[in-house]
Amino acid sequence: MEREGRAGGAASGELVTIGEFARLSRLSAKALRRYDELGLLRPALVDPVNGYRYYDPAQVEGARLVAWLRRIGMPLNRIGRVVALDAGAAAVEVRAYWARVEAETAARRDLAMYLVDHLSAEGRTMSRMPDNAENNGSSGSAGSVGALAIRCAALTDIGVVRTANQDAAFAGPRLLAVADGFGEGGAEASAAAIEALKPSTWGRDGALSAADLLNALEDTADSAARAVRDAVAPCEDPDGSGTTLTAMLWTGSRLGLVHIGDSRAYLLRGGELFRITHDHSLVQSMIDDGSLSPEEAASHPGPALLLKALVGEARPAAVAVACRPDVRLQEVLAGDRYLLCSDGLSAVVDTADLRTAVVAADDPEEAVRRLVGLAREAGGPDNVACAVADVVVE
């Protein structure tokens, strides 16, 4: 049991015992001992003879901050970094952490809503199925629809300012992808992420069900994450290297979307251009919570801080699951045109000009050339990667 006396009065600014400090900070002595063991809040003095802990009353705010950060679920190692920062920097760090939590929650919510819709549709189908349908193999059909295919093109450009190109892009009959690498191993990371998607053989003849396709997308995302870790492992600081990834995988009847980071996917349908991905960035989180308007975000002076990306860091299982790419299915119609691009395009060319270029191009090859040209005309401050695909009736 800790001694209840004090080494000096709180009013005088002298040290107090752990019991008195627990009362001042409204924390338990057990919690304070735990914070000490973890290095989050050290006592001002530990008696070398009896081991009693003494605290400076000025440490109260720090103790409460640790408690609050634990209450919002922040990992202990990150709390250690936050409490070492000044107030302004700590606020930025807490905002970034909570934005990541909300992004992860939103991704799980979207998947849950998909599962509700999918299972509800299956239930309705089963309720309409005749009793003998399973046995006689009969099925109804309103008529046949022509087979769909995609025609596509991709292009990357170093830009006007950079001396190396860390962006990658790919367009093929089954895969459309862009990746924006960063850090020492950025070029290797972006190339590895896309290469990991190419061997995918799922989706032959459009045979996968929606549920199987979602599982395949999850497996594909995991493969890309492993490939990035392997690619940047030789770097001096592998944790500081990684890549965004936005990819669409075509089964012959469906498009599956894999997305992480701030590269983007757009859909041109009926003459309107829609963004169909959500940036995993601090600026986007500030737009979401109302701290910034979209107009203010366009000129935000801060760095492009990503909340999620494929990185070289080997994370604990729980963290790795929470930071996985978003995966979902995309409705496909003949005549759709899809644009995937890195922020080297979207950050310098506004949506209206993107739409004009995508609408005006006769085919995907012309579209990617026009888009890269727009980025260069806007100053080309970053590498550019883009891929365009048209959904056509074969």
Side-chain angles (χ1 to χ4, degrees), residues 37-61:
E37 292 166 0
L38 296 171
L40 301 178
L41 184 72
R42 298 292 193 188
L45 173 68
V46 177
D47 192 306
V49 177
N50 55 35
Y52 289 149
R53 297 172 172 87
Y54 295 93
Y55 291 83
D56 188 326
Q59 293 178 279
V60 166
E61 286 303 314

PDB file of all heavy atoms in Angstrom, residues 37-61:
ATOM      1  N   GLU A  37       5.173   1.963 -15.828  1.00  0.00           N
ATOM      2  CA  GLU A  37       5.798   0.750 -16.376  1.00  0.00           C
ATOM      3  C   GLU A  37       5.897   0.814 -17.899  1.00  0.00           C
ATOM      4  O   GLU A  37       6.843   0.297 -18.500  1.00  0.00           O
ATOM      5  CB  GLU A  37       4.976  -0.477 -15.960  1.00  0.00           C
ATOM      6  CG  GLU A  37       5.023  -0.769 -14.464  1.00  0.00           C
ATOM      7  CD  GLU A  37       3.948  -1.755 -14.036  1.00  0.00           C
ATOM      8  OE1 GLU A  37       3.174  -2.206 -14.929  1.00  0.00           O
ATOM      9  OE2 GLU A  37       3.875  -2.079 -12.838  1.00  0.00           O
ATOM     10  N   LEU A  38       4.905   1.436 -18.537  1.00  0.00           N
ATOM     11  CA  LEU A  38       4.890   1.528 -19.994  1.00  0.00           C
ATOM     12  C   LEU A  38       5.686   2.717 -20.524  1.00  0.00           C
ATOM     13  O   LEU A  38       5.815   2.885 -21.738  1.00  0.00           O
ATOM     14  CB  LEU A  38       3.439   1.634 -20.491  1.00  0.00           C
ATOM     15  CG  LEU A  38       2.557   0.412 -20.217  1.00  0.00           C
ATOM     16  CD1 LEU A  38       1.103   0.720 -20.553  1.00  0.00           C
ATOM     17  CD2 LEU A  38       3.047  -0.782 -21.038  1.00  0.00           C
ATOM     18  N   GLY A  39       6.203   3.542 -19.628  1.00  0.00           N
ATOM     19  CA  GLY A  39       6.973   4.698 -20.055  1.00  0.00           C
ATOM     20  C   GLY A  39       6.133   5.851 -20.550  1.00  0.00           C
ATOM     21  O   GLY A  39       6.647   6.770 -21.186  1.00  0.00           O
ATOM     22  N   LEU A  40       4.829   5.841 -20.270  1.00  0.00           N
ATOM     23  CA  LEU A  40       3.942   6.896 -20.742  1.00  0.00           C
ATOM     24  C   LEU A  40       3.917   8.095 -19.797  1.00  0.00           C
ATOM     25  O   LEU A  40       3.689   9.227 -20.222  1.00  0.00           O
ATOM     26  CB  LEU A  40       2.515   6.353 -20.906  1.00  0.00           C
ATOM     27  CG  LEU A  40       2.350   5.188 -21.879  1.00  0.00           C
ATOM     28  CD1 LEU A  40       0.903   4.729 -21.909  1.00  0.00           C
ATOM     29  CD2 LEU A  40       2.811   5.585 -23.279  1.00  0.00           C
ATOM     30  N   LEU A  41       4.097   7.845 -18.496  1.00  0.00           N
ATOM     31  CA  LEU A  41       4.085   8.929 -17.523  1.00  0.00           C
ATOM     32  C   LEU A  41       4.990   8.533 -16.362  1.00  0.00           C
ATOM     33  O   LEU A  41       4.596   7.764 -15.491  1.00  0.00           O
ATOM     34  CB  LEU A  41       2.661   9.193 -17.025  1.00  0.00           C
ATOM     35  CG  LEU A  41       2.515  10.374 -16.062  1.00  0.00           C
ATOM     36  CD1 LEU A  41       2.677  11.690 -16.822  1.00  0.00           C
ATOM     37  CD2 LEU A  41       1.169  10.341 -15.357  1.00  0.00           C
ATOM     38  N   ARG A  42       6.198   9.059 -16.397  1.00  0.00           N
ATOM     39  CA  ARG A  42       7.166   8.731 -15.355  1.00  0.00           C
ATOM     40  C   ARG A  42       6.956   9.615 -14.127  1.00  0.00           C
ATOM     41  O   ARG A  42       6.655  10.808 -14.268  1.00  0.00           O
ATOM     42  CB  ARG A  42       8.591   8.939 -15.872  1.00  0.00           C
ATOM     43  CG  ARG A  42       8.975   8.067 -17.046  1.00  0.00           C
ATOM     44  CD  ARG A  42       9.066   6.608 -16.655  1.00  0.00           C
ATOM     45  NE  ARG A  42       9.717   5.809 -17.690  1.00  0.00           N
ATOM     46  CZ  ARG A  42       9.791   4.500 -17.665  1.00  0.00           C
ATOM     47  NH1 ARG A  42       9.247   3.833 -16.648  1.00  0.00           N
ATOM     48  NH2 ARG A  42      10.396   3.849 -18.635  1.00  0.00           N
ATOM     49  N   PRO A  43       7.129   9.083 -12.919  1.00  0.00           N
ATOM     50  CA  PRO A  43       7.091   9.933 -11.727  1.00  0.00           C
ATOM     51  C   PRO A  43       8.233  10.943 -11.779  1.00  0.00           C
ATOM     52  O   PRO A  43       9.275  10.712 -12.403  1.00  0.00           O
ATOM     53  CB  PRO A  43       7.283   8.946 -10.574  1.00  0.00           C
ATOM     54  CG  PRO A  43       6.998   7.597 -11.154  1.00  0.00           C
ATOM     55  CD  PRO A  43       7.364   7.670 -12.592  1.00  0.00           C
ATOM     56  N   ALA A  44       8.030  12.058 -11.099  1.00  0.00           N
ATOM     57  CA  ALA A  44       9.104  13.051 -11.021  1.00  0.00           C
ATOM     58  C   ALA A  44      10.253  12.534 -10.160  1.00  0.00           C
ATOM     59  O   ALA A  44      11.415  12.902 -10.366  1.00  0.00           O
ATOM     60  CB  ALA A  44       8.555  14.359 -10.448  1.00  0.00           C
ATOM     61  N   LEU A  45       9.936  11.647  -9.203  1.00  0.00           N
ATOM     62  CA  LEU A  45      10.962  11.123  -8.312  1.00  0.00           C
ATOM     63  C   LEU A  45      10.530   9.750  -7.809  1.00  0.00           C
ATOM     64  O   LEU A  45       9.363   9.540  -7.496  1.00  0.00           O
ATOM     65  CB  LEU A  45      11.153  12.062  -7.107  1.00  0.00           C
ATOM     66  CG  LEU A  45      12.082  11.570  -5.991  1.00  0.00           C
ATOM     67  CD1 LEU A  45      13.523  11.527  -6.478  1.00  0.00           C
ATOM     68  CD2 LEU A  45      11.952  12.461  -4.759  1.00  0.00           C
ATOM     69  N   VAL A  46      11.475   8.815  -7.780  1.00  0.00           N
ATOM     70  CA  VAL A  46      11.245   7.515  -7.161  1.00  0.00           C
ATOM     71  C   VAL A  46      12.239   7.378  -6.016  1.00  0.00           C
ATOM     72  O   VAL A  46      13.456   7.478  -6.232  1.00  0.00           O
ATOM     73  CB  VAL A  46      11.419   6.363  -8.168  1.00  0.00           C
ATOM     74  CG1 VAL A  46      11.246   5.014  -7.460  1.00  0.00           C
ATOM     75  CG2 VAL A  46      10.430   6.490  -9.323  1.00  0.00           C
ATOM     76  N   ASP A  47      11.728   7.183  -4.808  1.00  0.00           N
ATOM     77  CA  ASP A  47      12.594   7.066  -3.642  1.00  0.00           C
ATOM     78  C   ASP A  47      13.511   5.863  -3.814  1.00  0.00           C
ATOM     79  O   ASP A  47      13.032   4.733  -3.992  1.00  0.00           O
ATOM     80  CB  ASP A  47      11.738   6.909  -2.383  1.00  0.00           C
ATOM     81  CG  ASP A  47      12.564   7.065  -1.109  1.00  0.00           C
ATOM     82  OD1 ASP A  47      13.571   6.334  -0.981  1.00  0.00           O
ATOM     83  OD2 ASP A  47      12.186   7.881  -0.254  1.00  0.00           O
ATOM     84  N   PRO A  48      14.844   6.044  -3.783  1.00  0.00           N
ATOM     85  CA  PRO A  48      15.766   4.933  -4.016  1.00  0.00           C
ATOM     86  C   PRO A  48      15.760   3.886  -2.905  1.00  0.00           C
ATOM     87  O   PRO A  48      16.226   2.769  -3.116  1.00  0.00           O
ATOM     88  CB  PRO A  48      17.124   5.615  -4.131  1.00  0.00           C
ATOM     89  CG  PRO A  48      16.981   6.884  -3.353  1.00  0.00           C
ATOM     90  CD  PRO A  48      15.560   7.321  -3.552  1.00  0.00           C
ATOM     91  N   VAL A  49      15.237   4.252  -1.741  1.00  0.00           N
ATOM     92  CA  VAL A  49      15.227   3.316  -0.609  1.00  0.00           C
ATOM     93  C   VAL A  49      13.965   2.469  -0.606  1.00  0.00           C
ATOM     94  O   VAL A  49      14.008   1.236  -0.601  1.00  0.00           O
ATOM     95  CB  VAL A  49      15.387   4.079   0.727  1.00  0.00           C
ATOM     96  CG1 VAL A  49      15.301   3.103   1.909  1.00  0.00           C
ATOM     97  CG2 VAL A  49      16.700   4.848   0.740  1.00  0.00           C
ATOM     98  N   ASN A  50      12.795   3.131  -0.602  1.00  0.00           N
ATOM     99  CA  ASN A  50      11.545   2.377  -0.475  1.00  0.00           C
ATOM    100  C   ASN A  50      10.760   2.243  -1.778  1.00  0.00           C
ATOM    101  O   ASN A  50       9.739   1.561  -1.826  1.00  0.00           O
ATOM    102  CB  ASN A  50      10.649   3.010   0.599  1.00  0.00           C
ATOM    103  CG  ASN A  50      10.401   4.492   0.320  1.00  0.00           C
ATOM    104  OD1 ASN A  50      10.302   4.910  -0.824  1.00  0.00           O
ATOM    105  ND2 ASN A  50      10.313   5.293   1.382  1.00  0.00           N
ATOM    106  N   GLY A  51      11.211   2.905  -2.866  1.00  0.00           N
ATOM    107  CA  GLY A  51      10.557   2.772  -4.164  1.00  0.00           C
ATOM    108  C   GLY A  51       9.277   3.559  -4.317  1.00  0.00           C
ATOM    109  O   GLY A  51       8.580   3.431  -5.333  1.00  0.00           O
ATOM    110  N   TYR A  52       8.926   4.418  -3.315  1.00  0.00           N
ATOM    111  CA  TYR A  52       7.710   5.216  -3.431  1.00  0.00           C
ATOM    112  C   TYR A  52       7.836   6.189  -4.606  1.00  0.00           C
ATOM    113  O   TYR A  52       8.899   6.776  -4.849  1.00  0.00           O
ATOM    114  CB  TYR A  52       7.445   5.997  -2.143  1.00  0.00           C
ATOM    115  CG  TYR A  52       7.019   5.137  -0.972  1.00  0.00           C
ATOM    116  CD1 TYR A  52       7.354   5.505   0.333  1.00  0.00           C
ATOM    117  CD2 TYR A  52       6.284   3.970  -1.175  1.00  0.00           C
ATOM    118  CE1 TYR A  52       6.962   4.731   1.414  1.00  0.00           C
ATOM    119  CE2 TYR A  52       5.897   3.188  -0.104  1.00  0.00           C
ATOM    120  CZ  TYR A  52       6.235   3.556   1.183  1.00  0.00           C
ATOM    121  OH  TYR A  52       5.852   2.785   2.234  1.00  0.00           O
ATOM    122  N   ARG A  53       6.703   6.386  -5.319  1.00  0.00           N
ATOM    123  CA  ARG A  53       6.667   7.299  -6.463  1.00  0.00           C
ATOM    124  C   ARG A  53       6.125   8.656  -6.008  1.00  0.00           C
ATOM    125  O   ARG A  53       5.125   8.718  -5.280  1.00  0.00           O
ATOM    126  CB  ARG A  53       5.771   6.727  -7.574  1.00  0.00           C
ATOM    127  CG  ARG A  53       6.251   5.423  -8.179  1.00  0.00           C
ATOM    128  CD  ARG A  53       5.170   4.881  -9.119  1.00  0.00           C
ATOM    129  NE  ARG A  53       5.601   3.725  -9.895  1.00  0.00           N
ATOM    130  CZ  ARG A  53       5.505   2.468  -9.467  1.00  0.00           C
ATOM    131  NH1 ARG A  53       5.003   2.210  -8.253  1.00  0.00           N
ATOM    132  NH2 ARG A  53       5.906   1.472 -10.232  1.00  0.00           N
ATOM    133  N   TYR A  54       6.766   9.729  -6.498  1.00  0.00           N
ATOM    134  CA  TYR A  54       6.312  11.090  -6.220  1.00  0.00           C
ATOM    135  C   TYR A  54       6.137  11.815  -7.558  1.00  0.00           C
ATOM    136  O   TYR A  54       6.916  11.637  -8.501  1.00  0.00           O
ATOM    137  CB  TYR A  54       7.320  11.837  -5.344  1.00  0.00           C
ATOM    138  CG  TYR A  54       7.447  11.238  -3.954  1.00  0.00           C
ATOM    139  CD1 TYR A  54       8.429  10.283  -3.699  1.00  0.00           C
ATOM    140  CD2 TYR A  54       6.599  11.624  -2.933  1.00  0.00           C
ATOM    141  CE1 TYR A  54       8.546   9.717  -2.431  1.00  0.00           C
ATOM    142  CE2 TYR A  54       6.712  11.070  -1.656  1.00  0.00           C
ATOM    143  CZ  TYR A  54       7.682  10.110  -1.412  1.00  0.00           C
ATOM    144  OH  TYR A  54       7.792   9.552  -0.181  1.00  0.00           O
ATOM    145  N   TYR A  55       5.112  12.662  -7.603  1.00  0.00           N
ATOM    146  CA  TYR A  55       4.761  13.353  -8.846  1.00  0.00           C
ATOM    147  C   TYR A  55       4.729  14.852  -8.630  1.00  0.00           C
ATOM    148  O   TYR A  55       4.454  15.343  -7.520  1.00  0.00           O
ATOM    149  CB  TYR A  55       3.383  12.897  -9.337  1.00  0.00           C
ATOM    150  CG  TYR A  55       3.350  11.463  -9.818  1.00  0.00           C
ATOM    151  CD1 TYR A  55       3.213  10.418  -8.918  1.00  0.00           C
ATOM    152  CD2 TYR A  55       3.457  11.163 -11.169  1.00  0.00           C
ATOM    153  CE1 TYR A  55       3.191   9.094  -9.354  1.00  0.00           C
ATOM    154  CE2 TYR A  55       3.424   9.847 -11.616  1.00  0.00           C
ATOM    155  CZ  TYR A  55       3.298   8.820 -10.706  1.00  0.00           C
ATOM    156  OH  TYR A  55       3.279   7.515 -11.137  1.00  0.00           O
ATOM    157  N   ASP A  56       4.989  15.559  -9.709  1.00  0.00           N
ATOM    158  CA  ASP A  56       4.832  17.007  -9.716  1.00  0.00           C
ATOM    159  C   ASP A  56       3.377  17.307 -10.099  1.00  0.00           C
ATOM    160  O   ASP A  56       2.879  16.771 -11.089  1.00  0.00           O
ATOM    161  CB  ASP A  56       5.772  17.617 -10.760  1.00  0.00           C
ATOM    162  CG  ASP A  56       5.807  19.129 -10.708  1.00  0.00           C
ATOM    163  OD1 ASP A  56       4.754  19.734 -10.402  1.00  0.00           O
ATOM    164  OD2 ASP A  56       6.869  19.714 -10.991  1.00  0.00           O
ATOM    165  N   PRO A  57       2.674  18.139  -9.346  1.00  0.00           N
ATOM    166  CA  PRO A  57       1.288  18.460  -9.715  1.00  0.00           C
ATOM    167  C   PRO A  57       1.144  18.978 -11.135  1.00  0.00           C
ATOM    168  O   PRO A  57       0.064  18.871 -11.733  1.00  0.00           O
ATOM    169  CB  PRO A  57       0.896  19.529  -8.685  1.00  0.00           C
ATOM    170  CG  PRO A  57       1.738  19.221  -7.487  1.00  0.00           C
ATOM    171  CD  PRO A  57       3.068  18.755  -8.054  1.00  0.00           C
ATOM    172  N   ALA A  58       2.225  19.529 -11.703  1.00  0.00           N
ATOM    173  CA  ALA A  58       2.159  20.004 -13.090  1.00  0.00           C
ATOM    174  C   ALA A  58       1.973  18.859 -14.082  1.00  0.00           C
ATOM    175  O   ALA A  58       1.661  19.093 -15.256  1.00  0.00           O
ATOM    176  CB  ALA A  58       3.422  20.787 -13.427  1.00  0.00           C
ATOM    177  N   GLN A  59       2.151  17.618 -13.619  1.00  0.00           N
ATOM    178  CA  GLN A  59       1.986  16.463 -14.494  1.00  0.00           C
ATOM    179  C   GLN A  59       0.525  16.026 -14.646  1.00  0.00           C
ATOM    180  O   GLN A  59       0.242  15.084 -15.385  1.00  0.00           O
ATOM    181  CB  GLN A  59       2.805  15.274 -13.960  1.00  0.00           C
ATOM    182  CG  GLN A  59       4.311  15.456 -14.010  1.00  0.00           C
ATOM    183  CD  GLN A  59       5.026  14.255 -13.431  1.00  0.00           C
ATOM    184  OE1 GLN A  59       5.157  14.132 -12.209  1.00  0.00           O
ATOM    185  NE2 GLN A  59       5.459  13.357 -14.301  1.00  0.00           N
ATOM    186  N   VAL A  60      -0.380  16.690 -13.947  1.00  0.00           N
ATOM    187  CA  VAL A  60      -1.786  16.265 -13.963  1.00  0.00           C
ATOM    188  C   VAL A  60      -2.355  16.247 -15.378  1.00  0.00           C
ATOM    189  O   VAL A  60      -3.003  15.280 -15.793  1.00  0.00           O
ATOM    190  CB  VAL A  60      -2.627  17.185 -13.046  1.00  0.00           C
ATOM    191  CG1 VAL A  60      -4.122  16.984 -13.321  1.00  0.00           C
ATOM    192  CG2 VAL A  60      -2.321  16.881 -11.583  1.00  0.00           C
ATOM    193  N   GLU A  61      -2.131  17.310 -16.154  1.00  0.00           N
ATOM    194  CA  GLU A  61      -2.703  17.366 -17.502  1.00  0.00           C
ATOM    195  C   GLU A  61      -2.159  16.246 -18.381  1.00  0.00           C
ATOM    196  O   GLU A  61      -2.873  15.646 -19.175  1.00  0.00           O
ATOM    197  CB  GLU A  61      -2.439  18.729 -18.142  1.00  0.00           C
ATOM    198  CG  GLU A  61      -3.308  19.839 -17.579  1.00  0.00           C
ATOM    199  CD  GLU A  61      -4.797  19.531 -17.705  1.00  0.00           C
ATOM    200  OE1 GLU A  61      -5.224  19.098 -18.788  1.00  0.00           O
ATOM    201  OE2 GLU A  61      -5.523  19.699 -16.704  1.00  0.00           O
TER     202      GLU A  61
END
